[in-house]
Amino acid sequence: MEIHCEAKNAHDIIQIVADKLNTTINEDGNELCFNLPEEVGSGHIKSVLFDFGFSVFEIDVLLKKKLVINFEKDSINALYVLFNLDSSVSHKFSASGKANSIKQLECLMSSAGNNESHSLILKKGNPINVFTLIINRKLFESKVEAFVKDMDDNIEMLFRDVNGINQFDYKNFFTLEISKLIEEFKNCDLTDFMKATFLEGKAYEILTRQLENYLSNKNGPDGRTLLRNATINKVKNAVDIIESQLETRISVNSLAKKVGLNQNTLQNGFKTLFRKSVNEYIQHQRLEQAKDLIENSALNITEITYKIGINSRSYFSKVFKEKFGVTPNQYLSQVRNKAS
């Protein structure tokens, strides 16, 4: 099945797709969403619209038949920032006709350019989980115009092309931090104004992190590391182990053995997916858990120190202040004063 869209934002796309599939859209504030008809598959497609031509297009489905969404050429070509969270999908520009596979945890930043269209190809029988930021750069110009002159040249070039005249095609792995931000966006349980505000802030945070990732890869050689899917899965296993065993001492060597990687590959995987070494990631998780325990438990600082696998209270105080700007005791006092 092929669907042709002449659209400038995610709401336009979802309305065209829903009409083609002959299904009903549910509206909730600035969100539109519909479930797939049973004969097409299961799951949902959603759009969220913000100001300044910024929107989100989310596909979370299992298809019974192949679906191709063609984004037709337009007077203004949007910038698409697509994050693939599950099975591979494909993308192609009309001029080349060659499909480019986008694997799990890969991000495609693209714009069709003048007099060209592009297509997203979704296979049947595999879980599809695609999260896309869509930016109409003509409308977005007023959002960034005060900052453009101070931007990195690569970002300036990207946003100054307000009509999307030049084709843009860039693919790289995105960080697991971005993956978590997307899950927070998708699983928000707030309502009304608070939900709309949360989603907009989270969408901009995702965009910011990806632009940082893009610049790091463009400007530094370490960002060009390629990972196989099997390696990505083993790094994710290592993350699960770390998060479930923060109370214990975790060595890089033992962690690498548990997930079936050598230490260098594990370190490279963390650098690529998190921009952190393994030990930096472990410390980050410990401090985040400590902050959560201060906010949501009755444990004292000494108990929290041991709970997160740090043996020295003075060291805990030092690294906590470096990260959050206050000592654990100061933060505990702030939390309790606010609560009272």
Side-chain angles (χ1 to χ4, degrees), residues 152-202:
D152 180 279
D153 290 345
N154 291 292
I155 300 295
E156 180 182 356
M157 178 183 69
L158 195 58
F159 285 104
R160 279 202 184 277
D161 187 12
V162 295
N163 293 316
I165 294 174
N166 301 306
Q167 179 179 307
F168 182 76
D169 182 25
Y170 176 82
K171 185 176 71 170
N172 73 320
F173 284 107
F174 60 93
T175 65
L176 292 182
E177 177 190 12
I178 291 175
S179 178
K180 289 185 176 182
L181 293 174
I182 292 171
E183 289 305 311
E184 290 171 6
F185 182 101
K186 289 160 66 76
N187 296 319
C188 174
D189 57 4
L190 299 171
T191 59
D192 303 324
F193 169 76
M194 292 178 67
K195 182 177 184 180
T197 303
F198 176 87
L199 293 183
E200 183 170 13
K202 195 62 64 176

Side-chain angles (χ1 to χ4, degrees), residues 277-316:
S277 69
V278 175
N279 285 327
E280 287 169 344
Y281 181 84
I282 292 171
Q283 180 165 294
H284 168 80
Q285 291 300 111
R286 282 176 168 157
L287 293 176
E288 288 294 333
Q289 186 184 58
K291 181 173 179 286
D292 181 69
L293 289 170
I294 290 173
E295 294 171 349
N296 300 300
S297 80
L299 298 176
N300 61 42
I301 298 302
T302 299
E303 290 170 327
I304 290 173
T305 302
Y306 289 106
K307 184 74 173 174
I308 62 170
I310 294 178
N311 296 325
S312 167
R313 180 165 167 166
S314 61
Y315 176 73
F316 171 52

